[in-house]
Amino acid sequence: MRSLGLVAGFLLDAMVPDPPRGHPVALFGRAAGWWERRIYRDDELTGAAYAVSAVAPVAALGAVAERGGATATAAATWATLGGSMLAREAEGVARALEAGDLEGARSLVPRLCGRDPAGLDEAGVARAVVESVAENTSDAVTGPLVWGALAGVGGLAGFRAVNTLDAMVGHRSARYRRFGAASARLDDIAGWGPARLTAVLAVLAAPAVGGDVGRAWRIWRRDGHRHPSPNSGQCEAAFAGALGRTLGGVNVYRGREERRPEMGEGPAVDTADIRRAVRLARAVNVGALAVAAGVARVRG
């Protein structure tokens, strides 16, 4: 029943768009923000208490909800997956760039990542989108499916809660450097396996975008550890290898500049590579579903 629910929820994600209001993940984000404003202190211990107290009830409620069988699993899978939305947002940027509307494309970048778009040229926008597609394929699709296969609705809900907290407080700003440390570490742990499965599937799917499996494997194994994130680098390196492009460079976040190491070989990404990255992500999504459904069926 768990396997059936995962497949049904995956198909629902492809067919039923997220509601503009009242999405469960957005509701959790608002509740977590409310709780943060009341518990916040600039220290790691309080941050750890915040992470546990925000995630544990969600995972527990998910475990109870699994008594609803395949229907509950399908609903939770639909609510936690974001693959279709990720593809739509990326393709929206591609359409704007193809139409010569750089300003319009820049305005859409914050819907995919936290990078400051104002100073990005066409190549910079394309790189931001491709890197976001690579990273978020793991966070928005592979991760929920893996944890759903292993722990059912509780795993689906718990993983999405962890990932949402990381997006909210896990970055290294002055406010969250200590308070968000536990949320960031928890996300690294929860995403470790899904990120590497995403990378393997991207390598295997390289021919779908004109890439070579052997080359993609070599670049992934060579460059995956170079990124400051232990998980994002795995996905980005594998996508770079599969696409035959080079990722990495200078990124600006809220006025703060970060220099990321280059990953891959070949030219920098351009507008056409956004659609190639989306095709690669869709192939990875199907592969992740097959793995998750198989694991869930074996586990009974």
Side-chain angles (χ1 to χ4, degrees):
M1 297 299 288
R2 184 179 293 178
S3 177
L4 178 62
L6 291 173
V7 173
F10 184 92
L11 295 175
L12 283 172
D13 178 60
M15 295 184 294
V16 181
D18 293 340
R21 295 182 181 179
H23 191 281
V25 176
L27 294 176
F28 169 78
R30 285 199 287 273
W34 175 88
W35 182 228
E36 180 210 332
R37 290 190 293 273
R38 280 147 184 81
I39 198 176
Y40 178 84
R41 288 184 182 177
D42 188 19
D43 65 75
E44 292 194 8
L45 184 60
T46 304
Y50 168 74
V52 171
S53 60
V55 172
V58 173
L61 285 172
V64 173
E66 190 164 15
R67 296 172 184 172
T71 300
T73 302
T77 302
W78 168 81
T80 55
L81 290 186
S84 293
M85 175 175 284
L86 177 62
R88 285 193 295 269
E89 296 290 353
E91 289 174 336
V93 177
R95 284 193 296 271
L97 290 177
E98 290 162 355
D101 184 8
L102 179 58
E103 286 304 316
R106 285 172 174 164
S107 71
L108 298 174
V109 168
R111 301 173 69 167
L112 284 162
C113 62
R115 208 167 301 183
D116 292 347
L120 297 177
D121 58 10
E122 181 176 339
V125 170
R127 180 168 70 85
V129 174
V130 170
E131 290 174 354
S132 179
V133 168
E135 176 183 355
N136 286 303
T137 294
S138 179
D139 290 341
V141 181
T142 311
L145 289 174
V146 166
W147 281 100
L150 295 174
V153 177
L156 286 159
F159 177 82
R160 177 52 67 203
V162 167
N163 192 244
T164 301
L165 287 189
D166 179 61
M168 293 174 64
V169 306
H171 41 89
R172 296 183 178 181
S173 65
R175 177 177 175 85
Y176 297 126
R177 188 178 303 276
R178 286 181 286 271
F179 181 81
S183 294
R185 293 190 192 110
L186 190 59
D187 185 67
D188 287 343
I189 293 168
W192 193 93
R196 283 147 185 84
L197 176 59
T198 298
V200 170
L201 293 171
V203 167
L204 295 176
V209 290
D212 176 78
V213 171
R215 183 187 187 193
W217 176 272
R218 176 176 58 82
I219 290 172
W220 167 48
R221 300 302 297 160
R222 185 192 71 189
D223 295 346
H225 68 283
R226 302 180 64 195
H227 196 282
S229 166
N231 295 332
S232 297
Q234 303 294 318
C235 304
E236 291 184 21
F239 267 63
L243 294 169
R245 295 293 185 264
T246 297
L247 299 176
V250 176
N251 298 341
V252 180
Y253 302 93
R254 299 179 180 88
R256 175 174 49 88
E257 184 177 291
E258 294 185 11
R259 184 171 295 277
R260 300 290 172 81
E262 290 189 350
M263 294 180 287
E265 296 173 354
V269 295
D270 59 22
T271 299
D273 292 315
I274 295 176
R275 294 192 183 274
R276 295 178 66 224
V278 170
R279 289 202 305 273
L280 181 61
R282 285 176 170 144
V284 171
N285 295 347
V286 172
L289 175 64
V291 171
V295 170
R297 185 175 180 84
V298 169
R299 289 175 63 86

